[in-house]
Short mmCIF file of all heavy atoms in Angstrom, two decimals:
data_model
loop_
_atom_site.label_atom_id
_atom_site.label_comp_id
_atom_site.label_asym_id
_atom_site.label_seq_id
_atom_site.Cartn_x
_atom_site.Cartn_y
_atom_site.Cartn_z
N GLU A 13 -11.21 2.58 9.59
CA GLU A 13 -12.59 2.04 9.87
C GLU A 13 -12.55 0.57 10.09
O GLU A 13 -13.27 0.03 10.95
CB GLU A 13 -13.42 2.36 8.63
CG GLU A 13 -14.93 1.98 8.87
CD GLU A 13 -15.74 2.34 7.70
OE1 GLU A 13 -15.21 2.63 6.58
OE2 GLU A 13 -17.00 2.36 7.80
N ASN A 14 -11.71 -0.19 9.39
CA ASN A 14 -11.66 -1.67 9.55
C ASN A 14 -10.38 -2.17 8.90
O ASN A 14 -9.66 -1.41 8.25
CB ASN A 14 -12.91 -2.35 8.99
CG ASN A 14 -13.26 -1.87 7.57
OD1 ASN A 14 -12.31 -1.71 6.79
ND2 ASN A 14 -14.49 -1.61 7.31
N ALA A 15 -10.13 -3.53 8.99
CA ALA A 15 -8.96 -4.06 8.44
C ALA A 15 -8.94 -4.00 6.87
O ALA A 15 -7.88 -3.79 6.30
CB ALA A 15 -8.87 -5.54 8.82
N GLU A 16 -10.13 -4.06 6.29
CA GLU A 16 -10.20 -3.98 4.85
C GLU A 16 -9.70 -2.59 4.31
O GLU A 16 -9.02 -2.56 3.28
CB GLU A 16 -11.66 -4.19 4.37
CG GLU A 16 -11.81 -4.38 2.89
CD GLU A 16 -11.16 -5.64 2.34
OE1 GLU A 16 -10.92 -6.59 3.14
OE2 GLU A 16 -10.88 -5.68 1.12
N SER A 17 -10.03 -1.54 4.98
CA SER A 17 -9.60 -0.22 4.54
C SER A 17 -8.05 -0.08 4.66
O SER A 17 -7.43 0.54 3.83
CB SER A 17 -10.26 0.88 5.39
OG SER A 17 -10.05 0.77 6.73
N VAL A 18 -7.44 -0.69 5.70
CA VAL A 18 -6.02 -0.74 5.86
C VAL A 18 -5.39 -1.47 4.67
O VAL A 18 -4.43 -1.06 4.01
CB VAL A 18 -5.55 -1.37 7.17
CG1 VAL A 18 -4.05 -1.44 7.23
CG2 VAL A 18 -6.10 -0.58 8.35
N LYS A 19 -5.98 -2.60 4.38
CA LYS A 19 -5.40 -3.43 3.29
C LYS A 19 -5.52 -2.72 1.93
O LYS A 19 -4.55 -2.75 1.14
CB LYS A 19 -6.23 -4.75 3.24
CG LYS A 19 -5.71 -5.75 2.18
CD LYS A 19 -6.51 -7.05 2.28
CE LYS A 19 -6.06 -8.01 1.21
NZ LYS A 19 -6.86 -9.30 1.26
N ASN A 20 -6.66 -2.10 1.72
CA ASN A 20 -6.83 -1.40 0.43
C ASN A 20 -5.81 -0.21 0.29
O ASN A 20 -5.29 -0.03 -0.80
CB ASN A 20 -8.27 -0.80 0.31
CG ASN A 20 -9.28 -1.91 0.09
OD1 ASN A 20 -8.95 -2.99 -0.37
ND2 ASN A 20 -10.55 -1.62 0.47
N TYR A 21 -5.57 0.45 1.33
CA TYR A 21 -4.57 1.56 1.30
C TYR A 21 -3.18 0.98 1.08
O TYR A 21 -2.41 1.50 0.21
CB TYR A 21 -4.61 2.41 2.56
CG TYR A 21 -3.39 3.29 2.69
CD1 TYR A 21 -3.21 4.33 1.81
CD2 TYR A 21 -2.43 3.05 3.67
CE1 TYR A 21 -2.08 5.17 1.89
CE2 TYR A 21 -1.26 3.86 3.75
CZ TYR A 21 -1.11 4.90 2.86
OH TYR A 21 -0.01 5.68 3.03
N ALA A 22 -2.85 -0.06 1.79
CA ALA A 22 -1.48 -0.59 1.72
C ALA A 22 -1.13 -1.20 0.37
O ALA A 22 -0.05 -0.96 -0.13
CB ALA A 22 -1.29 -1.65 2.83
N TYR A 23 -2.11 -1.92 -0.25
CA TYR A 23 -1.76 -2.62 -1.43
C TYR A 23 -2.48 -2.15 -2.73
O TYR A 23 -1.99 -2.48 -3.87
CB TYR A 23 -2.18 -4.11 -1.28
CG TYR A 23 -1.43 -4.78 -0.14
CD1 TYR A 23 -2.07 -5.05 1.06
CD2 TYR A 23 -0.09 -5.02 -0.19
CE1 TYR A 23 -1.44 -5.62 2.17
CE2 TYR A 23 0.63 -5.57 0.89
CZ TYR A 23 -0.07 -5.83 2.03
OH TYR A 23 0.63 -6.46 3.13
N LYS A 24 -3.48 -1.32 -2.62
CA LYS A 24 -4.20 -0.86 -3.80
C LYS A 24 -4.08 0.60 -4.11
O LYS A 24 -4.49 1.11 -5.22
CB LYS A 24 -5.69 -1.24 -3.70
CG LYS A 24 -5.98 -2.73 -3.63
CD LYS A 24 -7.46 -3.02 -3.53
CE LYS A 24 -7.75 -4.49 -3.48
NZ LYS A 24 -9.15 -4.84 -3.38
N THR A 25 -3.44 1.37 -3.20
CA THR A 25 -3.15 2.74 -3.43
C THR A 25 -1.79 2.86 -4.13
O THR A 25 -0.78 2.36 -3.57
CB THR A 25 -3.07 3.57 -2.11
OG1 THR A 25 -4.35 3.41 -1.45
CG2 THR A 25 -2.88 5.07 -2.41
N PHE A 26 -1.75 3.40 -5.35
CA PHE A 26 -0.51 3.36 -6.13
C PHE A 26 0.69 3.98 -5.41
O PHE A 26 1.74 3.41 -5.28
CB PHE A 26 -0.73 4.07 -7.46
CG PHE A 26 0.56 4.20 -8.24
CD1 PHE A 26 1.16 3.15 -8.93
CD2 PHE A 26 1.28 5.43 -8.19
CE1 PHE A 26 2.37 3.33 -9.60
CE2 PHE A 26 2.46 5.59 -8.91
CZ PHE A 26 2.98 4.51 -9.59
N ASP A 27 0.48 5.20 -4.84
CA ASP A 27 1.59 5.88 -4.22
C ASP A 27 2.18 5.10 -3.07
O ASP A 27 3.39 5.08 -2.91
CB ASP A 27 1.13 7.30 -3.74
CG ASP A 27 0.96 8.28 -4.90
OD1 ASP A 27 1.90 8.35 -5.76
OD2 ASP A 27 -0.03 8.92 -5.01
N HIS A 28 1.30 4.59 -2.18
CA HIS A 28 1.82 3.79 -1.07
C HIS A 28 2.48 2.58 -1.55
O HIS A 28 3.59 2.18 -1.03
CB HIS A 28 0.70 3.49 -0.10
CG HIS A 28 1.14 2.72 1.14
ND1 HIS A 28 1.20 1.39 1.21
CD2 HIS A 28 1.71 3.21 2.31
CE1 HIS A 28 1.65 1.02 2.40
NE2 HIS A 28 2.03 2.12 3.02
N ALA A 29 1.86 1.77 -2.44
CA ALA A 29 2.46 0.56 -2.91
C ALA A 29 3.81 0.82 -3.62
O ALA A 29 4.74 0.05 -3.45
CB ALA A 29 1.49 -0.10 -3.93
N ASP A 30 3.90 1.93 -4.33
CA ASP A 30 5.14 2.33 -5.02
C ASP A 30 6.24 2.60 -4.00
O ASP A 30 7.37 2.23 -4.16
CB ASP A 30 4.93 3.43 -5.95
CG ASP A 30 6.15 3.74 -6.79
OD1 ASP A 30 6.66 2.77 -7.42
OD2 ASP A 30 6.58 4.91 -6.87
N VAL A 31 5.88 3.31 -2.94
CA VAL A 31 6.86 3.66 -1.88
C VAL A 31 7.33 2.38 -1.20
O VAL A 31 8.52 2.26 -0.89
CB VAL A 31 6.22 4.69 -0.85
CG1 VAL A 31 7.14 4.76 0.37
CG2 VAL A 31 6.01 6.02 -1.49
N ILE A 32 6.44 1.45 -0.93
CA ILE A 32 6.86 0.15 -0.30
C ILE A 32 7.84 -0.56 -1.22
O ILE A 32 8.82 -1.14 -0.79
CB ILE A 32 5.62 -0.69 -0.02
CG1 ILE A 32 4.73 -0.06 1.02
CG2 ILE A 32 6.01 -2.11 0.36
CD1 ILE A 32 5.41 0.09 2.37
N LYS A 33 7.52 -0.57 -2.53
CA LYS A 33 8.43 -1.20 -3.50
C LYS A 33 9.83 -0.51 -3.50
O LYS A 33 10.87 -1.23 -3.41
CB LYS A 33 7.83 -1.06 -4.87
CG LYS A 33 8.73 -1.74 -5.97
CD LYS A 33 8.02 -1.56 -7.32
CE LYS A 33 8.94 -2.12 -8.43
NZ LYS A 33 8.33 -1.91 -9.80
N LEU A 34 9.84 0.79 -3.44
CA LEU A 34 11.16 1.52 -3.37
C LEU A 34 11.90 1.26 -2.09
O LEU A 34 13.10 1.16 -2.03
CB LEU A 34 10.89 3.02 -3.55
CG LEU A 34 10.49 3.51 -4.92
CD1 LEU A 34 10.09 4.98 -4.83
CD2 LEU A 34 11.62 3.27 -5.91
N THR A 35 11.07 1.12 -0.99
CA THR A 35 11.70 0.80 0.29
C THR A 35 12.52 -0.47 0.21
O THR A 35 13.67 -0.52 0.77
CB THR A 35 10.58 0.60 1.36
OG1 THR A 35 9.86 1.88 1.54
CG2 THR A 35 11.21 0.20 2.71
N ARG A 36 11.95 -1.49 -0.42
CA ARG A 36 12.69 -2.75 -0.54
C ARG A 36 13.87 -2.64 -1.45
O ARG A 36 14.96 -3.12 -1.25
CB ARG A 36 11.76 -3.84 -1.04
CG ARG A 36 10.49 -4.02 -0.17
CD ARG A 36 10.91 -4.63 1.22
NE ARG A 36 9.68 -4.83 2.01
CZ ARG A 36 9.37 -4.05 3.04
NH1 ARG A 36 10.16 -2.99 3.29
NH2 ARG A 36 8.29 -4.26 3.72
N GLU A 37 13.61 -2.02 -2.61
CA GLU A 37 14.71 -1.92 -3.66
C GLU A 37 15.88 -1.05 -3.23
O GLU A 37 17.04 -1.37 -3.44
CB GLU A 37 14.07 -1.34 -4.92
CG GLU A 37 13.14 -2.28 -5.69
CD GLU A 37 12.49 -1.65 -6.87
OE1 GLU A 37 12.69 -0.38 -7.14
OE2 GLU A 37 11.80 -2.38 -7.62
#
């Protein structure tokens, strides 16, 4: 819908944020 919804999913959704963390680690 907008940039804010992308940001909320990327950084505030636990599963996605956790996967990003694992990606780096």
Side-chain angles (χ1 to χ4, degrees):
E13 185 177 16
N14 49 44
E16 189 67 22
S17 58
V18 177
K19 183 178 179 180
N20 287 338
Y21 166 67
Y23 300 108
K24 296 183 181 180
T25 302
F26 172 79
D27 285 310
H28 183 266
D30 188 49
V31 168
I32 294 298
K33 180 182 177 182
L34 287 171
T35 296
R36 304 290 180 257
E37 291 177 352

